[in-house]
Amino acid sequence: MNGSVLIGKIFGIPLRVHWSVLVLVVLLGYGLGRGTIPALAPGRGTGVYTLAALLGALALLASLLLHESAHAVMARRRGVAVEDMTLWALGGVTRIGRAETPRAMLVISGCGPLASLLLAGVGIGGALAVRAALGWNVAAAVLFWLGWANALLAGFNLLPAAPLDGGRIVQALLWGRTGDRERAERAAGRSGQVVGMLLVGFGVVSFFYGSATGLWLALIGFFLSGTAGAEAQRATLSAALHGVPMSRAMSAPVVTSPEWLTVSRFLDETESQRRHSVIPLLDFDGRPSGLVTLRQLAAVPGPQRDQVRLRDVATPLSRCTVATPDEALLDVLSRVSGPPRILVVDGGHLVGIVTAHDISRLTHLLKDRHDAPR
């Protein structure tokens, strides 16, 4: 997610924090310190309420992290790759690979809300125990709020709308019942769009009736609807590309460049030959060594282009996605992080390249054939 910073690892999984988390902490802290905690535990000073509100906001962030960690740990146990976890203003996001079975998807999706429900029980139970045994009203108020917040988090995530956990659960159930993964993905995506727009409408109406939380709900609904729409489109794309090999999607022959050329010489010699904004590089033996984009070249200052060579700014082969002509396109795309830039290699030699443009072209071609009158 753009704007996020890597701060470490949890269970060996990279953890990122988006800048909007600071906004979340401030808003939560303000609401807790000015309203919720004084109402539940009156009679204390401003300093006490401020400290309690800050600790409560940070505890909720920790709860979000545990929710996402439950997904990540369970995904690894089920053999699904986990890229990273990101905390941001609207909650958390765990980027994982595709589950191979409906059961795996069901278990991975359900463990997050289950973790939140367990935290809800601990928070509410802890609040009752602290108040009864120690009489610490402020601490009890924070724990009680934290418990209810986790209960709401679990309930919200169980809404039957992708990309929420409830949408994934519905998708897993439909997938298991019909055996059609793409159909289940499209259904979950459409459900997410509907629920998202309902949240937007409800949030806008609530805001105009004086509820400040209505704006927050509308923002969440807008994000949910957009993400669900993108997932529905991906499901449609997956259905269209099912069974298509890389050899059918790739562009060939490929315009390449020797890795030892300087940036200025490359730009002068290949201006009229480029069909892609991504150019594969070849070493002295004619084998692929990486790829370079026009954006990377444009970032090289003009005075340095006569000295900087393409390999100095290129993405090395070890960090590129490489496939064979016979591999299934969808299987290869599941390994891609970011825009697709796939080098197709056969016997150590480059035979083609697949970019977003190639996939779009192939999708339109397949769609036109499917829609053509018979």
Side-chain angles (χ1 to χ4, degrees):
M1 181 181 294
N2 293 334
S4 60
V5 178
L6 179 66
I7 64 170
K9 292 186 176 182
I10 300 293
F11 305 114
I13 301 166
L15 173 63
R16 300 180 182 275
V17 175
H18 193 259
W19 62 265
S20 59
V21 165
L22 180 60
V23 178
L24 178 63
V25 171
V26 171
L27 291 177
L28 285 175
Y30 181 83
L32 278 174
R34 293 294 298 270
T36 305
I37 299 178
L40 294 174
R44 296 305 182 99
T46 302
V48 173
Y49 290 141
T50 300
L51 178 60
L54 177 60
L55 293 176
L58 293 176
L60 183 59
L61 287 181
S63 298
L64 292 173
L65 179 58
L66 289 173
H67 178 110
E68 298 303 325
S69 297
H71 288 307
V73 171
M74 184 58 68
R76 281 192 166 179
R77 291 188 62 181
R78 291 284 172 168
V80 179
V82 180
E83 291 189 34
D84 56 28
M85 298 182 292
T86 303
L87 295 181
W88 69 308
L90 299 183
V93 176
T94 300
R95 294 196 299 170
I96 65 175
R98 287 164 64 91
E100 295 299 325
T101 64
R103 181 177 178 82
M105 175 177 284
L106 182 64
V107 173
I108 294 169
S109 303
C111 65
L114 180 59
S116 295
L117 287 174
L118 291 174
L119 290 172
V122 170
I124 295 174
L128 297 175
V130 166
R131 175 168 291 181
L134 302 174
W136 294 353
N137 291 338
V138 174
V142 173
L143 287 171
F144 185 78
W145 172 84
L146 186 63
W148 276 110
N150 274 283
L152 290 173
L153 176 65
F156 176 76
N157 272 280
L158 286 173
L159 289 175
L164 298 179
D165 298 328
R168 302 292 185 214
I169 292 173
V170 170
Q171 180 180 331
L173 295 175
L174 288 175
W175 180 15
R177 182 178 178 181
T178 65
D180 189 332
R181 179 173 193 151
E182 284 74 25
R183 178 182 173 186
E185 288 179 351
R186 290 195 299 271
R190 287 193 294 267
S191 176
Q193 289 178 287
V194 171
V195 172
M197 294 311 298
L198 288 175
L199 285 175
V200 170
F202 181 76
V204 170
V205 172
S206 299
F207 179 74
F208 280 112
Y209 274 88
S211 174
T213 58
L215 194 58
W216 194 258
L217 279 176
L219 181 61
I220 293 175
F222 182 78
F223 167 77
L224 180 62
S225 180
T227 305
E231 292 205 359
Q233 290 180 351
R234 281 197 298 270
T236 301
L237 177 65
S238 296
L241 299 179
H242 184 75
V244 174
M246 293 296 297
S247 58
R248 189 174 179 186
M250 69 185 188
S251 288
V254 189
V255 175
T256 62
S257 176
E259 64 178 6
W260 60 86
L261 285 186
T262 63
V263 173
S264 62
R265 183 178 172 185
F266 169 80
L267 294 175
D268 291 340
E269 293 184 358
T270 64
E271 181 67 33
S272 61
Q273 304 177 42
R274 291 197 301 270
R275 290 188 296 168
H276 289 92
S277 61
V278 180
I279 302 94
L281 302 182
L282 304 180
D283 61 17
F284 283 102
D285 297 322
R287 296 180 179 271
S289 63
L291 57 82
V292 69
T293 66
L294 295 183
R295 180 174 296 181
Q296 289 172 313
L297 299 180
V300 179
Q304 300 179 20
R305 292 180 179 179
D306 288 329
Q307 290 80 37
V308 175
R309 301 187 184 276
L310 297 182
R311 61 172 171 253
D312 298 330
V313 296
T315 302
L317 188 65
S318 60
R319 292 170 50 197
C320 298
T321 302
V322 180
T324 64
D326 296 332
E327 283 189 82
L329 176 59
L330 288 179
D331 291 342
V332 178
L333 288 177
S334 68
R335 309 199 310 259
V336 175
S337 176
R341 297 163 181 168
I342 306 166
L343 300 178
V344 185
V345 178
D346 189 12
H349 296 282
L350 184 71
V351 295
I353 185 173
V354 176
T355 65
H357 174 76
D358 297 306
I359 296 172
S360 177
R361 171 184 51 80
L362 178 60
T363 303
H364 286 301
L365 177 63
L366 293 172
K367 183 177 183 300
D368 290 342
R369 289 183 178 179
H370 180 270
D371 294 340
R374 294 178 174 84

